[in-house]
Amino acid sequence: MKNIVFISPNFPDNYWKFCSELKNNGMRVLGVGDCPYDNLKPELRNALTDYFKVDSLENYESVFRAVAFLTYKWGKIDWLESNNEYWLERDAALRTAFHITTGFQESDMEPVKRKSAMKAYYAKAGIPTARYHLVYDLEGSREFAHEVGYPVVVKPDNGVGANGTYRLRSDEELDFFFATKDPSVLYIMEEYVNGEVRTYDAILDSHGNPLFEIGNVTPSSLMDVVNTGDNSLYYYVDELPEKMRDAGLRTIRAFGVTSRFVHLEFFVLREDQKGLGKKGDVIGLEVNMRPSGGYSPDMMNFARETDVYKVWADMVAFDRCTLPDRKARHFCAFAGRRDGKQFLLSDGELEEKYRSRMKMVGRVPDALSGAMANQMFVAIFDTEEEMKQFFRDALTCK
């Protein structure tokens, strides 16, 4: 029986499904987390053979000791995973320490965590990216901003999501950024790209071949959602455009990634942009070597009438997918309402109007609400126009 250590199996709260499918595939699932065992969901407790509670997952030594104990008790660990961007480097360090070869090692982290290091791999894939500058001093940053023209975007070179990301429109805003930025963080500055964010999401086998593929679209800027406290929306498309599939596969080959759930982000240009391309061209944004966050795995399931938790667990256990392709294709829409706003339709009215289409309704955990707002509605549609009307109904304020 193969042993897999799953780090933080209780958060996000839908990740118990990964553990359950691993158990169903005959694997011994060993959890490490900071939540008391009795507070875990019954479904998660049922999926775990063993669980080691640590005081803090931030403490590497504590987590190391937990994995060491589980290794002593159950034998060699075959897999270790969290499927979580926040723990990606921690996972790699633990795999390296315990000689677990079925995933990224510490030496693999630079190009998959540092946005500046990703650029060379996008270039290898033949995909252009925004010009950039590593932010060390004000003079050099101002010179770069004048070269590419305002606005520019600054964000942590090694960061999660849109946290700490800003659009600067002038020398004055650049000066303020330098006066207030975290001095312990290395930032990257990029020319602004007027593009719609689209993704290539896939579960890859040990040869880098996709067992499952899908893509989503974020029409509005996630950076603005986080920084302005706006409502949130994105959706999974009914059909993955061939140009997005081509860009995703080329990126996978360039990075050499295998045996993972991946979430690759691109811009599709809204207009011609000098030095980057023509309207409709695909531009590299960043790679995320884990599932798209929050409830995205569930949305993938709704869009394709499948079970990506099962597909991922099949990849881990068998290096193949055992589910049939049902050929179902829907748009799956996420609308996130921000607390304190007055909407034309109340939560109850919106839920009633789209009752036949609604798949999920609920509160977004505080840890995810910066990007996803506070109250979520997830629904499926067969046409793009139906989906757009849903977004108008869900997010139009009085």
Side-chain angles (χ1 to χ4, degrees), residues 14 26 31 125 136 200 247 249 252 266 300 322 331 336 341 369 384:
N14 50 337
Y136 292 112
Y200 174 83
L249 292 175
I252 286 166
F266 302 89
M300 296 177 195
T322 65
F331 290 93
K341 293 181 180 290
S369 63
E384 189 171 5

Side-chain angles (χ1 to χ4, degrees), residues 80-94:
L80 183 145
E81 191 55 77
S82 67
N83 277 338
N84 192 315
E85 182 76 23
Y86 192 79
W87 305 118
L88 206 63
E89 291 175 289
R90 170 66 50 79
D91 294 348
L94 291 166

